[in-house]
Amino acid sequence: MKKSKLISSALILTLSVTALMPGTAYASASGKVYVDGTGKNATSSVTKIGTGAYPVLAEGEAMTVDMAVERAIAQSSTIKTYEDNIEIAEDNMSDVRVWRNAATEFTEVNSYAIQYKTLESNVATYKQRIEVEKQTIRYQVESYFSNIINAQNSLAIYDEYLDIETRNLEIYKKQLELGLISQTQYDSYLDSYNSAVTTKTTLQNTVDSNYTSLNTLLSYNVAAVYDVDLGDIEYEPIDRSTLETQVALATSSSNLNIAILQRSVDIAKYTLELHSELYSSETKLEVTSQLYTAQSNLNDTKLSYEGTIKTLYQSIVESEENYSDLVSQLNTLNNTMSVYEKQYELGQITELQLDTYHYTVKSLENQIEQALYSHYLLVQQYENPNLL
């Protein structure tokens, strides 16, 4: 599998190319970017506050996904709450077990049996929630890292784009003075230029907001900025024959929400098995209705997840087609690079045209890398129903 340096997409200048048939996959490797993509702190338009700790990293050391995940799990109040709930539920189970053994009346015995079954189900749910929370934390970290890297790498080449647009605007201004274009056409170009300038601010805000979210997750001061390293990511198209398998996985007890609903069905069945008209305040019809409702909720949720997985599968297929098309376009541009450079040497094209061509190549590389990250995160969801 080929690898390349991972960068993200900025706005691409329109350039007509003839796409080649997709060939070798344009795979990617590690994504590591300093706070502003150049080694210097960027001026942020966002005011940051916070008094939390700052990450302790050696000079030149990057925050890796594993480091961030370990920190986030250790700081997670959600996981701590689930652990406390498990301890409480297990203590209650011990009490209920004693009370059930001491009970003599049928109604009491059944009531304690159902309570014990419910507590047992709760413990299983809390334990599964902890594992799902860990999975979710890793996915969140990878998402924040990729967003930061994409925006930072776009910023790293954005000044080049603005320089080209500024030079184009000067040409349009001269054309307006010579009467070659109308005021309306010039105003349209000017609006596009102003929009491009605004986009740079938007990219910086994207960096700021994702650092803030990441730092909140890690219980760091929200003003903290540091290298982030997503690690080696390789482009691997999904196996198109796995849809039925993934549907089955998403609708199984491996999915936390399905597991919870299945446990509700199990408790409802257990309650119905123990039911007696002589000793219960509920009729058998009422208890049966509760089981029917629980089973219906489970079935409806399974159908919903089946639809979600099929939609996600289609999104992945479309993203892979888009990825192949982008790679084909890049191959075309790279293959004709020498032609454009030769034309510039011969005076057949201007320096602006050559610079525009070079920037278009860089921008297309950004699109490819962004597509790779997007595909990677989509596949994570496709293969893990708890991320849906």
Side-chain angles (χ1 to χ4, degrees), residues 224-235:
V225 289
Y226 38 86
D227 289 13
V228 293
D229 188 351
L230 188 55
D232 290 344
I233 301 295
E234 294 187 350
Y235 176 69

Side-chain angles (χ1 to χ4, degrees), residues 11 14 30 53 61 96 114 162 190 193 210-211 226 235 242 249 253 257 274 310 324 333 336-337 356 360 366:
L11 297 177
T14 303
S30 62
E61 181 183 11
V96 171
I114 293 172
L162 289 179
L190 182 60
Y193 176 80
N210 277 275
Y211 264 116
Y226 38 86
Y235 176 69
T242 60
L249 179 64
S253 57
N257 292 327
L274 296 180
K310 288 181 178 179
S324 296
L333 291 179
T336 56
M337 178 75 76
T356 299
T360 303
N366 277 349

Side-chain angles (χ1 to χ4, degrees), residues 240 311-323:
R240 301 292 175 89
T311 300
L312 182 58
Y313 170 83
Q314 188 59 41
S315 295
I316 293 173
V317 170
E318 291 173 1
S319 75
E320 291 178 355
E321 293 173 351
N322 177 62
Y323 185 88

